[in-house]
Amino acid sequence: MSVSSQDAKVPTFANFVIGGISGVTAQIVTHPLDVLKIRMQISRNTLRDIALQTFDTNGVRSFYVGLSAAILRQLTYTTSRLGIYTTLLDIGEQHFGYLNYVTMISLGMIAGMMGSFIGTPTDLILIRMVADRNLPTEKRKNYKNVISGIFDIWKTEGFIALWRGAVPTMSRAAIVNGAQLGTYTKAKMMLQDTGYIENGITLQFVAALMSSIITCFASVPVDLVKTRIQNWNQSTKSPNIISMIVNITKTEGLISLWRGFFLYYSRAAPNTVITMVCADQLHQMYFTYFPVS
């Protein structure tokens, strides 16, 4: 997401295509960390134990379980959130000029919530495919791929069940995208204003790292709760986001809400960097091949 006036001339459809390509690229690179993060959130084992257990299952291939769901998630969620955010940012700058940090965060939150609602079904299936390894054999879903998972849930649990955990997913997305997209845009502007870093990959890289730190601290608790709700396999009705937070705090301690923070950041930082740098570079490539007259 470039903040230049030139980017305002990128067609809306191009913003969405660029968002999808950037998200898929980042997901393929960071998917193994996503697998470890999810498995760590639903168990009390150490990162080392989880990594060894994952590798023992089926070697390196085990770190790419659920990849089909993850890619489809990016094609729905990230395509939507980046496309919507860039479009809203362009419209805002065209009509109001300079946008303040609060406005950028607000636009990111709106884009994140809309994108996450669209992508919730694929996110649900991703969680279940990755978490299967931690369940007894008789309770495993054994989805072959994301498509079989969608039809299985639709058939056995109902169409609405595809949006199970939508509220915490949208809550997480609002926090993540507000912090990530808003901070990234603001950080780029601040760094450019210093005059020490020109607009390019170095600027994009540093801004993405800055935004990922704030994003992770703010979103880890909600991401933990979302994962546990979507992986709920007990006979009782799954709890809501507030009761789950209260229960985790009481039974595991307040600090446990940030369980897996290092792993989360290890995945989020490169994911943010790759996504944002790809998006900006693709915007620049657009003008190279489709120059504005």
Side-chain angles (χ1 to χ4, degrees):
M1 262 74 56
S2 174
V3 293
S4 69
S5 60
Q6 188 182 40
D7 269 11
K9 300 176 183 178
V10 174
T12 299
F13 80 89
N15 285 330
F16 283 84
V17 172
I18 287 171
I21 294 173
S22 302
V24 170
T25 301
Q27 184 63 48
I28 291 174
V29 175
T30 62
H31 188 71
L33 294 172
D34 218 9
V35 170
L36 294 176
K37 181 209 71 173
I38 292 171
R39 289 181 172 170
M40 189 171 186
Q41 287 180 330
I42 60 176
S43 73
R44 298 193 180 188
N45 292 334
T46 64
L47 174 59
R48 177 180 177 277
D49 289 340
I50 291 172
L52 290 175
Q53 290 170 6
T54 300
F55 183 79
D56 289 342
T57 303
N58 200 15
V60 176
R61 292 179 58 187
S62 298
F63 291 94
Y64 284 90
V65 64
L67 182 60
S68 63
I71 290 177
L72 185 56
R73 177 177 179 270
Q74 296 301 324
L75 291 175
T76 53
Y77 167 60
T78 302
T79 296
S80 300
R81 73 182 179 98
L82 293 187
I84 292 170
Y85 176 74
T86 307
T87 301
L88 292 176
L89 189 65
D90 290 345
I91 293 173
E93 290 180 338
Q94 287 176 352
H95 287 81
F96 305 104
Y98 176 80
L99 301 179
N100 60 35
Y101 186 35
V102 174
T103 302
M104 293 174 186
I105 290 177
S106 299
L107 294 180
M109 293 178 73
I110 293 171
M113 291 180 69
M114 295 175 68
S116 68
F117 181 79
I118 296 171
T120 292
T122 53
D123 189 55
L124 171 64
I125 294 167
L126 170 62
I127 296 295
R128 290 187 176 184
M129 290 179 74
V130 174
D132 250 9
R133 172 67 177 76
N134 294 65
L135 298 175
T137 304
E138 67 276 6
K139 290 187 177 182
R140 294 180 182 177
K141 305 297 182 181
N142 294 317
Y143 300 144
K144 295 180 180 179
N145 51 55
V146 62
I147 302 301
S148 68
I150 289 175
F151 281 105
D152 183 86
I153 293 175
W154 190 344
K155 180 180 179 180
T156 61
E157 302 176 47
F159 181 73
I160 299 300
L162 286 167
W163 276 267
R164 180 176 182 177
V167 173
T169 300
M170 292 171 70
S171 300
R172 171 192 175 276
I175 295 172
V176 168
N177 287 277
Q180 183 191 70
L181 302 180
T183 302
Y184 177 71
T185 304
K186 182 63 176 179
K188 283 182 63 180
M189 295 173 67
M190 292 175 59
L191 290 169
Q192 280 183 291
D193 289 342
T194 64
Y196 293 107
I197 306 179
E198 296 182 357
N199 189 15
I201 292 181
T202 300
L203 173 68
Q204 297 155 11
F205 180 85
V206 175
L209 282 180
M210 292 171 64
S211 71
S212 63
I213 294 173
I214 296 175
T215 301
C216 289
F217 182 79
S219 63
V220 166
V222 183
D223 186 70
L224 172 67
V225 170
K226 175 192 75 71
T227 298
R228 294 202 180 181
I229 289 177
Q230 291 184 316
N231 193 52
W232 189 262
N233 54 26
Q234 299 183 28
S235 57
T236 57
K237 183 180 179 180
S238 61
N240 58 46
I241 185 172
I242 301 300
S243 60
M244 178 65 85
I245 289 176
V246 172
N247 181 65
I248 292 174
T249 302
K250 285 183 176 179
T251 59
E252 303 175 41
L254 180 63
I255 196 68
S256 64
L257 288 172
W258 281 269
R259 176 174 173 77
F261 177 86
F262 175 76
L263 183 58
Y264 188 94
Y265 180 76
S266 297
R267 182 261 180 190
N271 186 277
T272 299
V273 169
I274 294 170
T275 300
M276 297 306 173
V277 172
C278 277
D280 271 347
Q281 291 299 308
L282 288 171
H283 272 88
Q284 293 176 18
M285 288 176 63
Y286 177 88
F287 288 108
T288 298
Y289 292 101
F290 305 98
V292 178
S293 58

